[in-house]
Amino acid sequence: MTIESDARNVVLTGFMGTGKTSVAREVARRLGWPFVDMDLIIQARLGMPIDKIFARRGEAFFREHERALCRELSARRGLVVATGGGTLIPKENRATLGRSGLLICLTCEVEEILRRLAGAGDRPLLATANRRRRIEELLARRAAAYARIPHQIDTTRLTVEEVASEVIELLDRGAGER
Ligand code: S3P
């Protein structure tokens, strides 16, 4: 059993394909802290994969669950959290999770996002003929919200291990402490 530490949370966010889940898993492993994947929790609670949630209940319903889960996780400590790509776009969610710990936004160039997501058919927002255009549109729409997250790591040319080291370095430097 892993004991939750009373340290602040580490929350990784960023667009689809930036490596949130893989990096959070690695950071959690190195720190010995619990790893929490918000998409997995929501899927488990609703008993269906994200694309079915979007298709059957609509995006707004999914966003409502994300919002509630942000509140829930912000009451806990010592977690390494991977959000969904759209979770911290609303200001309210950034504020909620930001109070619980260190927020880090992972970024990546479009070309590499396309490469990383090439085999993935489970992203409802990318279910379109022209993925590149869709990604560029979403990134443009979300750019200002992502940019408001104080710590950014460009993962385009880094391995999961390298990004995890940068995250832990930020944490060790006391980033995000109040
Ligand atoms: C979304 C990203 C997905 C998932 C959902 C919506 C988004 O998570 O939450 O499909 O709005 O960017 P990943 O970023 O983990 O793929």
Side-chain angles (χ1 to χ4, degrees):
M1 194 181 78
T2 322
I3 311 267
E4 269 182 41
S5 78
D6 60 1
R8 59 206 189 286
N9 295 329
V10 177
V11 180
L12 300 186
T13 196
F15 198 74
M16 293 171 264
T18 55
K20 302 177 291 291
T21 300
S22 313
V23 173
R25 208 187 287 281
E26 174 64 9
V27 169
R29 191 191 65 76
R30 289 200 210 167
L31 295 174
W33 294 8
F35 160 67
V36 172
D37 184 289
M38 292 185 61
D39 281 345
L40 286 183
I41 293 182
I42 294 172
Q43 293 183 91
R45 287 184 181 171
L46 296 175
M48 55 185 139
I50 305 279
D51 51 354
K52 285 231 164 54
I53 300 171
F54 271 62
R56 293 191 186 161
R57 312 297 303 267
E59 181 173 349
F61 177 82
F62 172 75
R63 299 298 176 199
E64 197 43 52
H65 277 268
E66 278 191 316
R67 192 164 76 97
L69 187 53
C70 284
R71 293 217 197 105
E72 197 182 312
L73 295 176
S74 74
R76 297 174 59 185
R77 290 294 178 271
L79 304 176
V80 182
V81 179
T83 74
T87 311
L88 296 195
I89 299 307
K91 186 179 177 186
E92 178 194 336
N93 293 351
R94 288 198 300 278
T96 305
L97 276 181
R99 276 193 292 276
S100 80
L102 174 62
L103 299 188
I104 300 173
C105 183
L106 304 185
T107 65
C108 186
E109 289 169 12
V110 173
E111 207 57 49
E112 177 64 12
I113 290 177
L114 277 164
R115 200 187 61 76
R116 291 181 190 175
L117 295 178
D122 57 349
R123 305 304 204 286
L125 296 179
L126 299 183
T128 161
N130 193 335
R131 271 196 169 190
R132 178 190 303 273
R133 193 195 300 154
R134 182 80 178 121
I135 290 171
E136 285 170 350
E137 279 167 8
L138 279 171
L139 278 172
R141 206 186 298 159
R142 293 176 174 184
Y146 286 139
R148 289 203 179 89
I149 293 159
H151 302 283
Q152 310 262 331
I153 302 174
D154 182 353
T155 70
T156 310
R157 289 166 196 86
L158 299 181
T159 62
V160 168
E161 289 71 24
E162 287 168 334
V163 182
S165 297
E166 289 203 18
V167 169
I168 289 171
E169 223 171 275
L170 277 171
L171 190 66
D172 286 346
R173 288 210 316 259
E177 271 178 17
R178 290 157 193 266

